Amino acid sequence: MMIRGAIAKRLVSTNSSSSSSSSSSGWSWLCQKTSSSRSSSSLVGQCLNDDNNNNNNKLEFEFDGIEKTSKISSSRWFHSASLGGGGGLPSSMRAAVFREANKPLTFEEFHIPHPKSGEILVKTKACGVCHSDLHVMKGELPFASPCVVGHEITGEVVEHGPATDTKTIARLPIGSRVIGAFIMPCGNCSYCSKGHDDLCEDFFAYNRAKGTLYDGETRLFLHSSGKPVYMYSMGGLAEYCVVPANGLTILPKSLPYTESAILGCAVFTAYGAMANAAEVRPGDSIAVIGIGGVGSSCLQIARAFGASDIIAVDVQDEKLQKAKIFGATHAINAAKEDAVGKIMEITGGKGVDVAVEALGRPQTFLQCVQSVKDGGKAVMIGLAQTGSVGEVDINRLVRRKIQIIGSYGGRARQDLPKVVRLAETGVFDLTNAVSRKYTFKESNNAFQDLNKGNIVGRAVIEIM
């Protein structure tokens, strides 16, 4: 089923061998809800098989200062101590905390978290800015609070949990550069044992349902009171975070910390959708609806897998222009023309083999289903507000063998190393994928810009 085979030598040989917007005193953004050259698929296929073997919503609310709740001096934002060999850990750290819907993140002091068996303490270098966090901040996705958000990270291994097995320690030694997947598989449940890390029972039962790791406890405790704070994935918008070892893979020295952070969610999610759900093959026609961080990553993955027509659909011309850099052969502004009709025109009235919906809205859900040809696959990867419902023509679904597939992300142990390999070899363009960088202090500005639709592609917060 894996895709694809002529660029292999290049992949194998290569493997061997900010500004942000100004601070806003009035947080009017969180309260009023409104609705290049083509890569050869064969190279990717051989490389990946080798590995197997070895929203534009607007919000408004009032806030009179981003650092209002902070009682810590600015000198405490970052720790400068060298952590060689895992020694010299400070006694406390800073993290961005979500406490209440439609309110900004607060920066608070925590005890340094410590990993348990099978877990790793990572000194965070960078954390991506994702709509999933924004959905939590807007109250559209229920989650335990207070919590530390942020879930696509890069960093350095500084501590192993006690009784962690020797294979894990050898794979992720102290000082290793690592990248974390937002789905952190336990490795032991019925799904993980079958290789379906994206359905990990413990991840959904504990982390997504309760904001903890898999013993039912958080690793985050406030320095002042000792009170617990929950974790959205690893709680990556912090100076340090604890990650189950199964959710980590090595980040090669050839890849930068900052840009590589998006590999753990935006690119990881796109890869899971295109490789596992859609099973894209050379020559397939693809439509991607919603060209944000994940949608633009889908374009690059589709190109890497040898798709033919790659159609980008969005409502912003700037995003559609950049989509062409990522591999789009056609661009459709759905605010100016009928997206489904235009897709049919491009494909000679047949529709595409695969349509991917990356926005999580009922309207785009319907567009996605309507865009596929007979026997085609409509893959849904956009998270919606809780309770959202999509409509589908049941008779067409049945008679024309339409497949509607949900895809939340990739499979960390199998897919994350492949995603890293695509970036390492240049098949996936990290440089152009990241369009904005922010400092840790500017985290609120980053989410404000994301919500306003001001970020083309993906943004990353630098924490190092």
Side-chain angles (χ1 to χ4, degrees), residues 25 105 151 163 267 274 279 323 361 456:
S25 62
L105 302 172
H151 58 271
V267 188
M274 306 307 276
E279 298 179 305
R361 299 176 185 172
V456 178

Side-chain angles (χ1 to χ4, degrees), residues 384-406:
Q385 183 172 354
T386 299
S388 296
V389 176
E391 294 184 358
V392 62
D393 182 335
I394 296 175
N395 287 340
R396 178 170 179 262
L397 179 76
V398 174
R399 289 171 174 168
R400 308 321 301 160
K401 202 176 178 179
I402 305 301
Q403 300 180 60
I404 301 176
I405 307 168

Side-chain angles (χ1 to χ4, degrees), residues 198-416:
D198 50 333
L199 293 174
C200 174
E201 292 175 332
D202 282 354
F203 173 75
F204 288 100
Y206 288 95
N207 189 265
R208 282 299 180 264
K210 300 178 181 179
T212 70
L213 291 184
Y214 309 146
D215 59 351
E217 297 179 358
T218 181
R219 303 295 180 263
L220 298 174
F221 297 91
L222 291 171
H223 193 266
S224 58
S225 65
K227 291 183 177 180
V229 171
Y230 300 105
M231 306 164 65
Y232 191 71
S233 289
M234 71 288 290
L237 202 50
E239 292 175 316
Y240 294 84
C241 60
V242 172
V243 189
N246 288 326
L248 292 169
T249 196
I250 291 293
L251 179 68
K253 292 182 179 179
S254 60
L255 292 178
Y257 274 123
T258 298
E259 288 81 358
S260 297
I262 71 168
L263 295 174
C265 177
V267 188
F268 180 69
T269 299
Y271 186 91
M274 306 307 276
N276 302 331
E279 298 179 305
V280 174
R281 291 174 170 80
D284 281 352
S285 54
I286 311 290
V288 179
I289 302 172
I291 311 302
V294 176
S296 58
S297 296
C298 285
L299 297 175
Q300 290 209 57
I301 299 296
R303 178 177 62 181
F305 286 174
S308 55
D309 290 328
I310 303 177
I311 305 168
V313 181
D314 205 278
V315 295
Q316 293 188 37
D317 287 330
E318 186 180 3
K319 290 185 177 181
L320 292 170
Q321 279 297 116
K322 194 157 188 180
K324 295 176 181 177
I325 298 174
F326 298 139
T329 58
H330 302 79
I332 301 172
N333 188 321
K336 299 177 181 178
E337 54 188 333
D338 174 22
V340 176
K342 189 65 177 179
I343 289 172
M344 292 300 170
E345 179 184 327
I346 292 169
T347 59
K350 295 181 179 180
V352 292
D353 295 292
V354 175
V356 178
E357 194 278 342
L359 289 173
R361 299 176 185 172
Q363 179 185 1
T364 49
F365 176 96
L366 182 59
Q367 288 174 333
C368 183
V369 176
Q370 292 175 333
S371 297
V372 300
K373 64 169 56 173
D374 292 353
K377 297 176 181 178
V379 180
M380 308 299 168
I381 58 178
L383 287 176
Q385 183 172 354
T386 299
S388 296
V389 176
E391 294 184 358
V392 62
D393 182 335
I394 296 175
N395 287 340
R396 178 170 179 262
L397 179 76
V398 174
R399 289 171 174 168
R400 308 321 301 160
K401 202 176 178 179
I402 305 301
Q403 300 180 60
I404 301 176
I405 307 168
S407 180
Y408 189 50
R411 300 166 183 172
R413 291 174 295 175
Q414 305 97 310
D415 295 341
L416 190 58

Side-chain angles (χ1 to χ4, degrees), residues 77-97:
W77 275 92
F78 300 100
H79 300 293
S80 59
S82 171
L83 300 176
L89 286 175
S91 61
S92 63
M93 70 164 193
R94 305 272 290 165
V97 182

